[in-house]
Amino acid sequence: MPKSTTPPDALLRSAAFVVADLHRVGRVQLDTALADEGLTLRMHWILACLKQEGELTQRQVCDVLAVDRSDMVRLVDGLEKRGFVVRRKHAKDRRKQLLSLTEDGEKAVARTEELVDGATDTLFADLTAKERRTLHRLALHALGHPKKFADIGA
């Protein structure tokens, strides 16, 4: 049995392990922050997508967030039950489901954005504002996204 909860040196030298561990810790903190609202981080992501785009098919949201279709159905069911999302058939293709925010959904995403920002501040409390922007910029770069987003809300 390990004497410490600190990962082995070889793992701490691995950027992949450290990023994965940061994700794990962050996910727990963010889900905990959202739990009082009865939401999860992935539900927040769905609300944020719909806030920006207005209306998307369920498949589009799956693709953007890399969420499995069966998981998406469950997540959207929960959001719909709470009155945050409306699901309706696509006018041109009845097999597709269109998602959009309700007025309560707009309010919910505003609350969840505040909670996510607070949990993120806690997660990165040991970093300066410049270090946070640098971390954000590097993560965006590694994922192939525009680094301009690292300067927003820093």
Side-chain angles (χ1 to χ4, degrees), residues 71-88:
D71 288 341
M72 181 62 68
V73 169
R74 184 181 45 78
L75 293 165
V76 173
D77 284 348
L79 291 170
E80 193 173 39
K81 192 177 290 183
R82 300 277 312 270
F84 296 156
V85 170
V86 173
R87 188 176 0 200
R88 64 182 178 77

PDB file of all heavy atoms in Angstrom, residues 71-88:
ATOM      1  N   ASP A  71     -25.835   9.365 -23.720  1.00  0.00           N
ATOM      2  CA  ASP A  71     -25.636  10.279 -22.592  1.00  0.00           C
ATOM      3  C   ASP A  71     -26.359  11.604 -22.845  1.00  0.00           C
ATOM      4  O   ASP A  71     -26.939  12.185 -21.933  1.00  0.00           O
ATOM      5  CB  ASP A  71     -24.149  10.549 -22.362  1.00  0.00           C
ATOM      6  CG  ASP A  71     -23.412   9.359 -21.776  1.00  0.00           C
ATOM      7  OD1 ASP A  71     -24.067   8.461 -21.209  1.00  0.00           O
ATOM      8  OD2 ASP A  71     -22.173   9.322 -21.895  1.00  0.00           O
ATOM      9  N   MET A  72     -26.300  12.072 -24.089  1.00  0.00           N
ATOM     10  CA  MET A  72     -26.944  13.343 -24.424  1.00  0.00           C
ATOM     11  C   MET A  72     -28.448  13.266 -24.189  1.00  0.00           C
ATOM     12  O   MET A  72     -29.050  14.200 -23.662  1.00  0.00           O
ATOM     13  CB  MET A  72     -26.648  13.720 -25.878  1.00  0.00           C
ATOM     14  CG  MET A  72     -27.252  15.040 -26.313  1.00  0.00           C
ATOM     15  SD  MET A  72     -26.650  16.483 -25.387  1.00  0.00           S
ATOM     16  CE  MET A  72     -24.962  16.554 -25.937  1.00  0.00           C
ATOM     17  N   VAL A  73     -29.049  12.153 -24.563  1.00  0.00           N
ATOM     18  CA  VAL A  73     -30.494  11.989 -24.354  1.00  0.00           C
ATOM     19  C   VAL A  73     -30.822  12.136 -22.873  1.00  0.00           C
ATOM     20  O   VAL A  73     -31.741  12.865 -22.489  1.00  0.00           O
ATOM     21  CB  VAL A  73     -30.990  10.627 -24.903  1.00  0.00           C
ATOM     22  CG1 VAL A  73     -32.415  10.337 -24.459  1.00  0.00           C
ATOM     23  CG2 VAL A  73     -30.890  10.609 -26.425  1.00  0.00           C
ATOM     24  N   ARG A  74     -30.054  11.470 -22.036  1.00  0.00           N
ATOM     25  CA  ARG A  74     -30.276  11.539 -20.583  1.00  0.00           C
ATOM     26  C   ARG A  74     -30.075  12.960 -20.058  1.00  0.00           C
ATOM     27  O   ARG A  74     -30.869  13.455 -19.259  1.00  0.00           O
ATOM     28  CB  ARG A  74     -29.336  10.557 -19.878  1.00  0.00           C
ATOM     29  CG  ARG A  74     -29.516  10.460 -18.380  1.00  0.00           C
ATOM     30  CD  ARG A  74     -28.535   9.477 -17.745  1.00  0.00           C
ATOM     31  NE  ARG A  74     -27.163   9.603 -18.206  1.00  0.00           N
ATOM     32  CZ  ARG A  74     -26.312  10.552 -17.804  1.00  0.00           C
ATOM     33  NH1 ARG A  74     -26.689  11.468 -16.952  1.00  0.00           N
ATOM     34  NH2 ARG A  74     -25.068  10.578 -18.267  1.00  0.00           N
ATOM     35  N   LEU A  75     -29.019  13.622 -20.515  1.00  0.00           N
ATOM     36  CA  LEU A  75     -28.737  14.991 -20.068  1.00  0.00           C
ATOM     37  C   LEU A  75     -29.845  15.950 -20.502  1.00  0.00           C
ATOM     38  O   LEU A  75     -30.313  16.774 -19.711  1.00  0.00           O
ATOM     39  CB  LEU A  75     -27.384  15.454 -20.618  1.00  0.00           C
ATOM     40  CG  LEU A  75     -26.155  14.723 -20.057  1.00  0.00           C
ATOM     41  CD1 LEU A  75     -24.932  14.997 -20.924  1.00  0.00           C
ATOM     42  CD2 LEU A  75     -25.911  15.126 -18.617  1.00  0.00           C
ATOM     43  N   VAL A  76     -30.257  15.839 -21.752  1.00  0.00           N
ATOM     44  CA  VAL A  76     -31.313  16.717 -22.262  1.00  0.00           C
ATOM     45  C   VAL A  76     -32.643  16.413 -21.577  1.00  0.00           C
ATOM     46  O   VAL A  76     -33.405  17.329 -21.264  1.00  0.00           O
ATOM     47  CB  VAL A  76     -31.419  16.639 -23.800  1.00  0.00           C
ATOM     48  CG1 VAL A  76     -32.626  17.412 -24.307  1.00  0.00           C
ATOM     49  CG2 VAL A  76     -30.141  17.185 -24.442  1.00  0.00           C
ATOM     50  N   ASP A  77     -32.904  15.146 -21.306  1.00  0.00           N
ATOM     51  CA  ASP A  77     -34.114  14.789 -20.557  1.00  0.00           C
ATOM     52  C   ASP A  77     -34.151  15.540 -19.221  1.00  0.00           C
ATOM     53  O   ASP A  77     -35.185  16.094 -18.831  1.00  0.00           O
ATOM     54  CB  ASP A  77     -34.190  13.284 -20.285  1.00  0.00           C
ATOM     55  CG  ASP A  77     -34.585  12.456 -21.495  1.00  0.00           C
ATOM     56  OD1 ASP A  77     -35.025  13.040 -22.522  1.00  0.00           O
ATOM     57  OD2 ASP A  77     -34.449  11.221 -21.424  1.00  0.00           O
ATOM     58  N   GLY A  78     -33.011  15.551 -18.526  1.00  0.00           N
ATOM     59  CA  GLY A  78     -32.925  16.249 -17.242  1.00  0.00           C
ATOM     60  C   GLY A  78     -33.132  17.748 -17.381  1.00  0.00           C
ATOM     61  O   GLY A  78     -33.824  18.373 -16.564  1.00  0.00           O
ATOM     62  N   LEU A  79     -32.544  18.329 -18.411  1.00  0.00           N
ATOM     63  CA  LEU A  79     -32.696  19.777 -18.642  1.00  0.00           C
ATOM     64  C   LEU A  79     -34.127  20.115 -19.052  1.00  0.00           C
ATOM     65  O   LEU A  79     -34.675  21.139 -18.640  1.00  0.00           O
ATOM     66  CB  LEU A  79     -31.704  20.241 -19.713  1.00  0.00           C
ATOM     67  CG  LEU A  79     -30.238  20.219 -19.295  1.00  0.00           C
ATOM     68  CD1 LEU A  79     -29.334  20.455 -20.504  1.00  0.00           C
ATOM     69  CD2 LEU A  79     -29.964  21.255 -18.208  1.00  0.00           C
ATOM     70  N   GLU A  80     -34.715  19.244 -19.842  1.00  0.00           N
ATOM     71  CA  GLU A  80     -36.097  19.458 -20.285  1.00  0.00           C
ATOM     72  C   GLU A  80     -37.055  19.335 -19.096  1.00  0.00           C
ATOM     73  O   GLU A  80     -37.974  20.142 -18.942  1.00  0.00           O
ATOM     74  CB  GLU A  80     -36.441  18.445 -21.372  1.00  0.00           C
ATOM     75  CG  GLU A  80     -37.714  18.755 -22.120  1.00  0.00           C
ATOM     76  CD  GLU A  80     -37.923  17.818 -23.297  1.00  0.00           C
ATOM     77  OE1 GLU A  80     -37.619  16.605 -23.179  1.00  0.00           O
ATOM     78  OE2 GLU A  80     -38.393  18.298 -24.337  1.00  0.00           O
ATOM     79  N   LYS A  81     -36.822  18.349 -18.248  1.00  0.00           N
ATOM     80  CA  LYS A  81     -37.654  18.142 -17.065  1.00  0.00           C
ATOM     81  C   LYS A  81     -37.600  19.365 -16.133  1.00  0.00           C
ATOM     82  O   LYS A  81     -38.593  19.723 -15.512  1.00  0.00           O
ATOM     83  CB  LYS A  81     -37.178  16.907 -16.312  1.00  0.00           C
ATOM     84  CG  LYS A  81     -38.126  16.433 -15.227  1.00  0.00           C
ATOM     85  CD  LYS A  81     -37.627  15.156 -14.579  1.00  0.00           C
ATOM     86  CE  LYS A  81     -37.766  14.021 -15.577  1.00  0.00           C
ATOM     87  NZ  LYS A  81     -37.383  12.721 -15.040  1.00  0.00           N
ATOM     88  N   ARG A  82     -36.444  20.006 -16.068  1.00  0.00           N
ATOM     89  CA  ARG A  82     -36.273  21.206 -15.232  1.00  0.00           C
ATOM     90  C   ARG A  82     -36.843  22.458 -15.902  1.00  0.00           C
ATOM     91  O   ARG A  82     -36.895  23.521 -15.301  1.00  0.00           O
ATOM     92  CB  ARG A  82     -34.780  21.446 -14.957  1.00  0.00           C
ATOM     93  CG  ARG A  82     -34.056  20.335 -14.242  1.00  0.00           C
ATOM     94  CD  ARG A  82     -34.200  20.342 -12.740  1.00  0.00           C
ATOM     95  NE  ARG A  82     -33.967  21.598 -12.107  1.00  0.00           N
ATOM     96  CZ  ARG A  82     -32.803  22.048 -11.657  1.00  0.00           C
ATOM     97  NH1 ARG A  82     -31.731  21.307 -11.795  1.00  0.00           N
ATOM     98  NH2 ARG A  82     -32.704  23.211 -11.073  1.00  0.00           N
ATOM     99  N   GLY A  83     -37.233  22.336 -17.168  1.00  0.00           N
ATOM    100  CA  GLY A  83     -37.797  23.472 -17.879  1.00  0.00           C
ATOM    101  C   GLY A  83     -36.758  24.414 -18.458  1.00  0.00           C
ATOM    102  O   GLY A  83     -37.061  25.553 -18.790  1.00  0.00           O
ATOM    103  N   PHE A  84     -35.518  23.926 -18.622  1.00  0.00           N
ATOM    104  CA  PHE A  84     -34.433  24.765 -19.124  1.00  0.00           C
ATOM    105  C   PHE A  84     -34.250  24.657 -20.634  1.00  0.00           C
ATOM    106  O   PHE A  84     -33.689  25.555 -21.262  1.00  0.00           O
ATOM    107  CB  PHE A  84     -33.112  24.399 -18.449  1.00  0.00           C
ATOM    108  CG  PHE A  84     -33.091  24.642 -16.967  1.00  0.00           C
ATOM    109  CD1 PHE A  84     -32.219  23.943 -16.155  1.00  0.00           C
ATOM    110  CD2 PHE A  84     -33.928  25.563 -16.363  1.00  0.00           C
ATOM    111  CE1 PHE A  84     -32.168  24.151 -14.789  1.00  0.00           C
ATOM    112  CE2 PHE A  84     -33.904  25.793 -14.999  1.00  0.00           C
ATOM    113  CZ  PHE A  84     -33.019  25.080 -14.212  1.00  0.00           C
ATOM    114  N   VAL A  85     -34.698  23.557 -21.201  1.00  0.00           N
ATOM    115  CA  VAL A  85     -34.506  23.289 -22.626  1.00  0.00           C
ATOM    116  C   VAL A  85     -35.821  22.785 -23.214  1.00  0.00           C
ATOM    117  O   VAL A  85     -36.565  22.062 -22.560  1.00  0.00           O
ATOM    118  CB  VAL A  85     -33.398  22.219 -22.837  1.00  0.00           C
ATOM    119  CG1 VAL A  85     -33.336  21.745 -24.272  1.00  0.00           C
ATOM    120  CG2 VAL A  85     -32.046  22.768 -22.417  1.00  0.00           C
ATOM    121  N   VAL A  86     -36.075  23.200 -24.445  1.00  0.00           N
ATOM    122  CA  VAL A  86     -37.211  22.687 -25.208  1.00  0.00           C
ATOM    123  C   VAL A  86     -36.644  21.864 -26.351  1.00  0.00           C
ATOM    124  O   VAL A  86     -35.697  22.277 -27.023  1.00  0.00           O
ATOM    125  CB  VAL A  86     -38.084  23.837 -25.764  1.00  0.00           C
ATOM    126  CG1 VAL A  86     -39.153  23.307 -26.697  1.00  0.00           C
ATOM    127  CG2 VAL A  86     -38.696  24.634 -24.639  1.00  0.00           C
ATOM    128  N   ARG A  87     -37.234  20.691 -26.549  1.00  0.00           N
ATOM    129  CA  ARG A  87     -36.831  19.801 -27.625  1.00  0.00           C
ATOM    130  C   ARG A  87     -38.028  19.708 -28.584  1.00  0.00           C
ATOM    131  O   ARG A  87     -39.143  19.462 -28.151  1.00  0.00           O
ATOM    132  CB  ARG A  87     -36.509  18.432 -27.031  1.00  0.00           C
ATOM    133  CG  ARG A  87     -35.906  17.477 -27.941  1.00  0.00           C
ATOM    134  CD  ARG A  87     -35.502  16.155 -27.296  1.00  0.00           C
ATOM    135  NE  ARG A  87     -35.745  15.989 -25.881  1.00  0.00           N
ATOM    136  CZ  ARG A  87     -35.126  15.104 -25.112  1.00  0.00           C
ATOM    137  NH1 ARG A  87     -34.220  14.316 -25.610  1.00  0.00           N
ATOM    138  NH2 ARG A  87     -35.398  14.993 -23.845  1.00  0.00           N
ATOM    139  N   ARG A  88     -37.765  19.942 -29.878  1.00  0.00           N
ATOM    140  CA  ARG A  88     -38.853  19.819 -30.852  1.00  0.00           C
ATOM    141  C   ARG A  88     -38.306  19.194 -32.131  1.00  0.00           C
ATOM    142  O   ARG A  88     -37.102  19.224 -32.373  1.00  0.00           O
ATOM    143  CB  ARG A  88     -39.526  21.160 -31.120  1.00  0.00           C
ATOM    144  CG  ARG A  88     -38.650  22.202 -31.754  1.00  0.00           C
ATOM    145  CD  ARG A  88     -39.400  23.527 -31.945  1.00  0.00           C
ATOM    146  NE  ARG A  88     -38.530  24.521 -32.505  1.00  0.00           N
ATOM    147  CZ  ARG A  88     -38.154  24.598 -33.771  1.00  0.00           C
ATOM    148  NH1 ARG A  88     -38.601  23.728 -34.640  1.00  0.00           N
ATOM    149  NH2 ARG A  88     -37.336  25.541 -34.181  1.00  0.00           N
TER     150      ARG A  88
END
